[in-house]
Amino acid sequence: MPLTDRKYTTALDYASGTADRAGAAIDTSGLDETDIIVKFATIAAGATTRVVAQCDTTSAFASAQDIAGTSVNVTAAQDNMVVVIHVANAPERFVRVYI
């Protein structure tokens, strides 16, 4: 598939912190595929961080649902890791990353 049919975006630069974080809404209207890139910094010792793509019908994400098959666990041993989540044919118009 040509690259023009896809959208590439960095959802969160150097994701870190102790609270849940949500990336910005990505409008997938007119797109077949979206690749979401999350770059991590240092991950706290003993921590396991779950990264997942979510979708909703609006950009407010009031009824966000996890997209099956997009969950990735990142552990403290994986400092500075880059995670790429591929979403093909998103079930709803808006997609975001949730950590």
Side-chain angles (χ1 to χ4, degrees):
M1 183 173 295
L3 294 180
T4 56
D5 293 340
R6 293 185 181 189
K7 181 172 188 168
Y8 295 88
T9 183
T10 300
L12 289 170
D13 275 327
Y14 301 105
S16 61
T18 57
D20 294 349
R21 294 188 59 196
I26 301 166
D27 186 349
T28 63
S29 177
L31 300 174
D32 294 328
E33 300 177 69
T34 303
D35 290 322
I36 302 170
I37 302 164
V38 181
K39 297 182 279 186
F40 283 90
T42 302
I43 300 171
T48 298
T49 303
R50 179 176 167 264
V51 182
V52 66
Q54 295 183 326
C55 64
D56 203 342
T57 56
T58 70
S59 61
F61 286 89
S63 300
Q65 298 293 316
D66 290 356
I67 300 173
T70 64
S71 181
V72 177
N73 287 332
V74 179
T75 67
Q78 296 168 305
D79 287 345
N80 304 310
M81 182 176 180
V82 175
V83 173
V84 179
I85 298 176
H86 178 76
V87 178
N89 301 313
E92 301 292 349
R93 178 177 174 176
F94 293 93
V95 173
R96 73 175 179 189
V97 68
Y98 190 79
I99 301 174

